[in-house]
Amino acid sequence: MSKKSIFIKDGVNYATPFMAISALFLTWGIAHGLLDTLDKNFQELLHLKKWQSSFIQVSLYGAYFCMAIPAGLYTKKYGYKKGIILGLSLFGIGALLAAGTAPLQSFILFLFCLLVIGAGLATLETGANPYTTKLGPPESAERRINIAQSFNGFAWVVGPLIAISIYGNRSHVEGEKMISIILPFAIIGLAVLAIAFVFSRLKLPKIDEEDLIHAHGAAPTPGGDMEISDPSHPSYISKKPLWKNKHFKLGVASQACYVAAQTGVFSYLINFVTDHDMHPRFDVQYGPYFLSLGFFLFMMGRFSGSALMRYFKPTNLLACYALMVCVLLPVVSLKLGWISFVALYGVFFFMSIMFPTIFALAIRSLGTHTKQGASFLVMSVGGGAVFPPLMGYVSDIYGMAAGFFVPIPLFAFIAYYAIEGYKIKP
């Protein structure tokens, strides 16, 4: 007997729109991969401390926190497609602003441009992430969002390679320090606006509130099927107000912990491999290659994780991966030479499935509250604005290796969510 397709629901094949939406994950993956590479570059060119350069992440992820709720309201009113087009438009405009203002050599102005980019990315994720979970049967939602996020993982690999052109300009001449960001940001901005135009012409299936009710068992089907009352059933829907759902509240907290920890690890890998106290130690100009390698393992973790979810429960896989990260981070921090170096790349691999899996688990059973719930989950990405300065501050005082102790409690909470917190209560 053939296995049920993860893209066919009620006789409708959603594979084509799923692929179109998955392509969007490339856009914000490139943005994040590029921006996480720039911390070390700005530290050297503008003589910033680690905690100061982390304001790149503060601006980007702070925009997620501020924009997620408005984006959710916009998506709820106008639908997923218009929300996606708005997100792409803001993203493209922000990138072009960064390119246009670079000759002014202002780090503060660059941070403002990142706010605009972040607002666009937040709007994109508010629409695209939950949309993937609806393009097929509810029991395979975690697999679909992990597959879509695998495209995101591939783009993270590309982002640092684009940054090589920025690292290539080591000029310290006034008026030239930020000149190298113009071309890559201009190309990204124009490409994203072109994608927005293409999406405005595409026909995507509209999933409205009534569709969500029937898709998740919140109301009897036309054939007279009874309402599903078992919370463990994939099509169960909660009757509670949004914030009365404990699995959702813990999911928001888990997502905030994950993005906070992920952003810290991603942002400081180049600092780690180029730190003067580390052995082996590498030259700064090769930093983007090392980050790209980390993102490659991150991408492979998502592809393999999506495949493993055919055989293992997503929650079991999430718990196992979170615990592995808790084991590897102390090894990174103990400065054990190549062992610590390899352990850090292991952290990249095991972080891979966390964001999409937590997202899918947290919005499960929300029914008509799905779009609102998704906006709060995207808002929790704001955790990435708070944590990097803290990790950078610890690293400035105690050394870069010691900074990797800091994320351990956050991953421990994610393990708790995967073991117990995800369970839906009636």
Side-chain angles (χ1 to χ4, degrees):
M1 181 178 178
S2 60
K3 291 190 175 182
K4 185 178 179 181
S5 171
I6 64 172
F7 302 115
I8 298 177
K9 181 175 68 175
D10 300 329
V12 179
N13 192 331
Y14 291 101
T16 300
F18 176 82
M19 292 304 296
I21 296 300
S22 296
L24 289 176
F25 285 66
L26 292 167
T27 60
W28 70 78
I30 288 174
H32 284 290
L34 171 62
L35 293 171
D36 281 337
T37 316
L38 295 184
D39 283 55
K40 185 64 176 180
N41 187 63
F42 278 109
Q43 287 168 26
E44 296 214 336
L45 286 185
L46 303 181
H47 307 294
L48 304 176
K49 293 184 179 294
K50 294 183 183 71
W51 72 267
Q52 292 173 318
S53 68
S54 70
F55 272 82
I56 291 173
Q57 281 71 37
V58 171
S59 293
L60 186 68
Y61 291 102
Y64 273 80
F65 182 83
C66 297
M67 187 64 185
I69 298 301
L73 293 173
Y74 184 88
T75 302
K76 184 179 178 68
K77 182 174 182 179
Y78 297 105
Y80 288 113
K81 179 179 176 179
K82 289 186 177 179
I84 288 168
I85 293 170
L86 174 63
L88 287 168
S89 301
L90 288 172
F91 178 10
I93 290 168
L96 291 178
L97 282 173
T101 58
L104 299 177
Q105 307 297 310
S106 171
F107 186 56
I108 300 297
L109 194 54
F110 180 68
L111 295 180
F112 170 78
C113 296
L114 291 187
L115 283 172
V116 180
I117 292 173
L121 299 181
T123 307
L124 263 180
E125 295 205 45
T126 300
N129 278 307
Y131 194 51
T132 61
T133 69
K134 308 306 174 191
L135 296 175
E139 61 268 20
S140 55
E142 291 90 351
R143 281 193 65 200
R144 278 193 304 281
I145 194 171
N146 268 282
I147 292 170
Q149 286 278 352
S150 296
F151 287 85
N152 181 262
F154 170 75
W156 284 72
V157 177
V158 176
L161 299 179
I162 295 174
I164 290 171
S165 64
I166 297 174
Y167 268 64
N169 179 2
R170 311 308 299 171
S171 175
H172 290 261
V173 177
E174 290 302 324
E176 296 182 5
K177 291 183 178 180
M178 293 176 62
I179 205 75
S180 58
I181 76 170
I182 294 177
L183 183 60
F185 275 84
I187 292 173
I188 289 172
L190 292 173
V192 168
L193 290 178
I195 294 170
F197 174 77
V198 171
F199 260 81
S200 70
R201 316 301 296 178
L202 286 180
K203 289 185 178 181
L204 296 175
K206 182 180 179 183
I207 300 177
D208 57 26
E209 303 303 324
E210 186 177 353
D211 293 328
L212 291 173
I213 291 173
H214 287 285
H216 290 274
T221 64
D225 293 337
M226 294 299 293
E227 179 180 329
I228 296 171
S229 58
D230 180 7
S232 64
H233 194 284
S235 294
Y236 171 80
I237 192 161
S238 173
K239 302 291 191 300
K240 300 176 184 177
L242 181 63
W243 287 102
K244 293 291 185 180
N245 290 282
K246 186 177 180 181
H247 80 284
F248 169 71
K249 290 189 289 185
L250 291 175
V252 171
S254 295
Q255 201 69 290
C257 287
Y258 170 69
V259 177
Q262 171 205 270
T263 307
V265 172
F266 286 0
S267 300
Y268 292 117
L269 177 137
I270 294 178
N271 282 276
F272 182 84
V273 300
T274 61
D275 190 84
H276 59 83
D277 291 331
M278 296 303 301
H279 303 283
R281 174 178 177 269
F282 301 92
D283 193 272
V284 173
Q285 66 177 319
Y286 301 116
Y289 291 106
F290 286 102
L291 189 58
S292 186
L293 174 60
F295 289 149
F296 175 77
L297 292 171
F298 186 78
M299 175 189 69
M300 295 306 297
R302 280 194 170 160
F303 277 117
S304 60
S306 299
L308 287 172
M309 285 180 188
R310 295 179 62 188
Y311 309 102
F312 301 97
K313 290 179 62 176
T315 50
N316 292 343
L317 210 59
L318 178 62
C320 177
Y321 280 27
L323 291 172
M324 282 300 301
V325 172
C326 290
V327 171
L328 289 171
L329 281 173
V331 178
V332 175
S333 301
L334 291 174
K335 295 195 291 187
L336 302 176
W338 282 102
I339 295 175
S340 295
F341 185 83
V342 173
L344 180 54
Y345 281 108
V347 171
F348 272 73
F349 180 88
F350 288 111
M351 286 194 301
S352 58
I353 67 164
M354 293 185 186
F355 182 92
T357 306
I358 293 170
F359 198 102
L361 292 171
I363 64 172
R364 173 160 281 179
S365 88
L366 297 185
T368 58
H369 296 301
T370 298
K371 291 177 182 176
Q372 185 183 11
S375 66
F376 280 108
L377 282 163
V378 173
M379 186 176 75
S380 71
V381 171
V386 178
F387 191 74
L390 172 62
M391 189 170 170
Y393 181 73
V394 171
S395 301
D396 282 329
I397 296 176
Y398 300 105
M400 191 63 251
F404 284 90
F405 276 119
V406 185
I408 295 174
L410 304 182
F411 287 109
F413 184 81
I414 294 168
Y416 158 74
Y417 183 70
I419 295 168
E420 181 64 30
Y422 77 94
K423 295 178 180 177
I424 300 171
K425 308 297 182 183

